[in-house]
Amino acid sequence: MTNKVLIFDTTLRDGEQSPGFSMNITEKLRMAKQLAKLKVDIIEAGFPISSDGDFESVREIAQKVRGPVICGLARTNDADIERAAEALKGAPRRRIHTFIATSEIHMKYKLKKSEREVLESAIRAVKLARKHTDDVEFSAEDATRSDPDFLCEIFSAVIAAGATTINIPDTVGYTVPEEYFSLVKKLQKGVKGIGKVVISVHCHNDQGLGVANSLTAVSLGARQVECTINGIGERAGNAAMEEIVMTLTNRKDIYGLDTNIDTTQIFPTSRLLTQITGIGVQPNKAVVGRNAFAHEAGIHQDGVLKKPLTYEIMTPQSIGLSSNSLVLGKHSGRHALKVRLAELGYEMTEEQFARAFKEFKELADKKKEVFDEDIEALLHDRVFDIGETYALVSLHVSSGTDSTPTAAVELEIGGKRVERQSTGDGQIDAAFKAIAELTGTKSELTEFQTKAVTGGTDAQGDVIVKIKDEGFEVTGRGTHTDVVLASAKAYVHALNKLEYHKKRVQQRRELLKGV
């Protein structure tokens, strides 16, 4: 048995399905290129049948990202598999991942199919997928609540049909390590041909056990772990890739296993995801949280200063956190910025870099020092586009102790510039009202956060807003040294995301009607 554990990253599929984490094609491609730098083995790029957007994202990644196997998800029907195969054509190394639910509750209430019908559907799907690629994965959705004997039967059948990887998902995060241990052992004994395929695990984190369950299966011989950056995913998320990898790295004395991951790219990848989505990780998040390498208690500080390993089981450098204190400012040149961007894990075209340098110089004229956080906020807000329905052209606000706060906003909508002036309880409220009137949005502002990106009176304001409309909820982000302007940019960013995702979900619904 190999000592190499394959990392199957589903950030762009399962992770992207969770509320607030949706990405457009450009953002998905940026993330996929970073995942390739991280050296994940498989990138599950999306669910091609679900929408035109997902299909195009998978096709773009298949054509432009090299290194990892590019994978597309498909249900066990012909249309799904043909659509996935079409999207993956451009990938030199491609995988079709087909799935069907096997638990009694899913078969009875969701699928309304018998065990025999599910079995036949799975066999037919794997055979069809094998006509398009030699790399086929089969997942038994909700495996941990399925009859183990039926799992043995269906896994044996799909292996005989040509599946090369079988996945045992804990779809709803229901199992515990001891129970998962018993299930994997039973499958190893009861599934015919299991020694010829890769055993994979996909554990959700509803009870906080995603990583523990995954490592339990790995200890028994599973050699593929399906996981996500920062542990994002449906409901409480998936097993966190960074936690899986660093546990295997730090505890080789227990597991004796390796991965292909370049661990120095873990932190840059985590940061890129938070920049794209506008959703950060909690400060005490394992491995990549802000406090993961922070020490406040005096006794801890004393120990770390004398010997870091007293309280740090891994070095910051091992995950890509640099101790480099390089500070950029208005006198810094193109080369210094390019080096720093590379250290932060960013790849961009010459056109994007030229725009980044221009924006950087403008910011540096306003701030004495430009920190990493400033650069990342700048890139996200002003360099990488999401596709704009609305563009903020200008904003003018006024208020005082004896006057009503007023905002005059000019937007560009569909190539036409429109203006509106509104009043409010404050400058930000007035600006939001003017933007809402111009766009005609009926969305509800559910969250508003503002903070300084870095310290000092010249710090950039980093504003995150969350809006909800017709069941959709999106996050927008804006940065500027003027917090009112940052707020307006964040609101417009959120409205653009909302329009994008409304169109995308509508396309998905229309496509699924015909499936």
Side-chain angles (χ1 to χ4, degrees):
M1 181 182 296
T2 179
N3 287 331
K4 188 78 72 177
V5 175
L6 301 176
I7 299 299
F8 178 110
D9 187 276
T10 186
T11 301
L12 298 178
R13 201 279 301 168
D14 196 323
E16 197 249 357
Q17 287 177 185
S18 54
F21 285 94
S22 293
M23 304 175 220
N24 64 22
I25 294 173
T26 302
E27 292 166 336
K28 275 194 163 188
L29 183 60
R30 282 175 59 206
M31 197 69 213
K33 287 181 176 179
Q34 179 58 32
L35 291 172
K37 284 183 68 176
L38 182 64
K39 296 185 180 177
V40 303
D41 299 284
I42 303 99
I43 296 175
E44 189 167 46
F47 190 179
I49 194 71
S50 64
S51 73
D52 286 344
D54 250 35
F55 176 85
E56 292 298 336
S57 295
V58 175
R59 184 164 65 176
E60 189 84 352
I61 291 167
Q63 291 175 346
K64 295 183 177 179
V65 177
R66 294 294 178 260
V69 172
I70 307 301
C71 175
L73 187 68
R75 292 166 299 185
T76 55
N77 61 58
D78 293 0
D80 277 44
I81 290 166
E82 295 292 354
R83 187 73 166 162
E86 179 66 24
L88 293 167
K89 270 185 178 178
R93 304 170 66 212
R94 55 188 178 271
R95 173 183 297 186
I96 294 176
H97 178 193
T98 187
F99 74 99
I100 192 168
T102 53
S103 65
E104 182 180 359
I105 190 170
H106 275 244
M107 289 189 292
K108 181 177 179 180
Y109 294 103
K110 185 181 78 173
L111 299 178
K112 301 187 187 305
K113 290 184 177 182
S114 66
E115 287 187 351
R116 186 55 43 192
E117 289 173 313
V118 167
L119 180 65
E120 291 172 353
S121 182
I123 295 170
R124 185 175 62 252
V126 169
K127 286 182 176 179
L128 178 58
R130 277 303 298 257
K131 292 181 179 179
H132 297 285
T133 176
D134 292 335
D135 190 346
V136 176
E137 177 173 343
F138 173 77
S139 286
E141 185 185 7
D142 205 23
T144 55
R145 293 194 295 174
S146 300
D147 176 0
D149 291 331
F150 181 52
L151 285 178
C152 288
E153 183 180 6
I154 197 168
F155 280 141
S156 297
V158 296
I159 291 171
T164 51
T165 300
I166 60 166
N167 184 35
I168 313 165
D170 185 25
T171 303
V172 294
Y174 177 71
T175 198
V176 298
E178 295 83 0
E179 185 178 48
Y180 208 35
F181 182 95
S182 298
L183 176 61
V184 175
K185 289 288 284 184
K186 181 175 179 63
L187 294 174
Q188 286 175 321
K189 292 179 180 178
V191 174
K192 295 176 183 177
I194 198 167
K196 300 185 296 183
V197 300
V198 175
I199 300 174
S200 177
V201 291
H202 178 120
C203 296
H204 278 261
N205 208 38
D206 296 71
Q207 298 180 127
L209 295 171
V211 170
N213 286 329
S214 298
L215 291 172
T216 295
V218 165
S219 71
L220 287 170
R223 287 298 178 264
Q224 177 177 286
V225 176
E226 306 192 2
C227 45
T228 59
I229 304 300
N230 296 344
I232 70 169
E234 295 275 12
R235 303 179 313 281
N238 289 267
M241 185 282 297
E242 60 276 3
E243 296 175 26
I244 296 284
V245 169
M246 292 313 294
T247 299
L248 293 176
T249 300
N250 293 330
R251 297 311 309 269
K252 286 187 180 178
D253 57 322
I254 299 293
Y255 295 98
L257 300 171
D258 294 304
T259 71
N260 290 318
I261 295 295
D262 177 357
T263 64
T264 65
Q265 290 297 321
I266 286 176
F267 189 72
T269 309
S270 170
R271 288 297 292 270
L272 177 60
L273 181 61
T274 65
Q275 288 295 318
I276 288 174
T277 63
I279 301 175
V281 298
Q282 69 268 29
N284 63 327
K285 167 75 174 67
V287 183
V288 294
R290 185 174 68 244
N291 293 345
F293 295 95
H295 306 277
E296 184 171 342
I299 191 170
H300 285 211
Q301 292 174 341
D302 180 64
V304 168
L305 287 170
K306 292 175 177 174
K307 181 73 173 177
L309 287 176
T310 53
Y311 287 101
E312 290 181 354
I313 61 171
M314 62 190 109
T315 67
Q317 291 78 12
S318 70
I319 65 162
L321 264 172
S322 175
S323 57
N324 193 322
S325 60
L326 173 66
V327 176
L328 296 172
K330 66 180 181 180
H331 299 299
S332 300
R334 296 173 64 89
H335 183 252
L337 179 62
K338 187 166 282 189
V339 169
R340 196 72 195 110
L341 290 172
E343 290 173 348
L344 289 171
Y346 287 97
E347 288 185 2
M348 56 184 67
T349 63
E350 283 302 317
E351 181 183 350
Q352 287 173 326
F353 176 73
R355 195 185 325 160
F357 185 69
K358 177 178 177 292
E359 295 288 349
F360 160 73
K361 293 297 278 188
E362 288 180 6
L363 178 62
D365 281 335
K366 300 173 186 175
K367 292 182 96 265
K368 292 180 180 178
E369 297 177 344
V370 180
F371 298 93
D372 291 351
E373 293 85 354
D374 291 312
I375 294 171
E376 291 183 322
L378 177 151
L379 292 175
H380 174 79
D381 190 36
R382 299 173 222 175
V383 176
F384 295 115
D385 299 323
I386 65 162
E388 293 184 330
T389 302
Y390 313 112
L392 180 63
V393 177
S394 66
L395 169 68
H396 300 282
V397 293
S398 63
S399 65
T401 55
D402 299 318
S403 62
T404 302
T406 303
V409 174
E410 183 179 4
L411 296 182
E412 185 174 303
I413 305 175
K416 181 180 178 182
R417 292 192 176 189
V418 291
E419 299 179 37
R420 183 63 57 91
Q421 181 172 298
S422 295
T423 59
D425 292 334
Q427 293 178 343
I428 293 173
D429 183 50
F432 280 19
K433 284 181 178 177
I435 292 168
E437 291 167 9
L438 285 170
T439 59
T441 182
K442 303 297 183 185
S443 60
E444 174 191 358
L445 180 66
T446 59
E447 192 174 319
F448 178 89
Q449 299 177 29
T450 181
K451 64 178 181 178
V453 175
T454 51
T457 56
D458 61 352
Q460 287 195 96
D462 185 6
V463 177
I464 294 175
V465 301
K466 189 174 289 186
I467 60 175
K468 183 189 294 184
D469 187 25
E470 298 179 9
F472 305 104
E473 190 168 45
V474 297
T475 301
R477 186 172 192 167
T479 56
H480 200 273
T481 49
D482 181 335
V483 73
V484 180
L485 184 51
S487 301
K489 290 162 73 74
Y491 190 36
V492 171
H493 183 227
L495 290 171
N496 277 320
K497 275 192 169 182
L498 186 64
E499 288 301 312
Y500 171 80
H501 296 309
K502 277 185 178 180
K503 292 175 185 175
R504 180 181 173 194
V505 172
Q506 184 58 37
Q507 289 175 340
R508 181 178 297 179
R509 287 172 178 164
E510 290 173 0
L511 277 169
L512 292 178
K513 282 180 184 177
V515 175

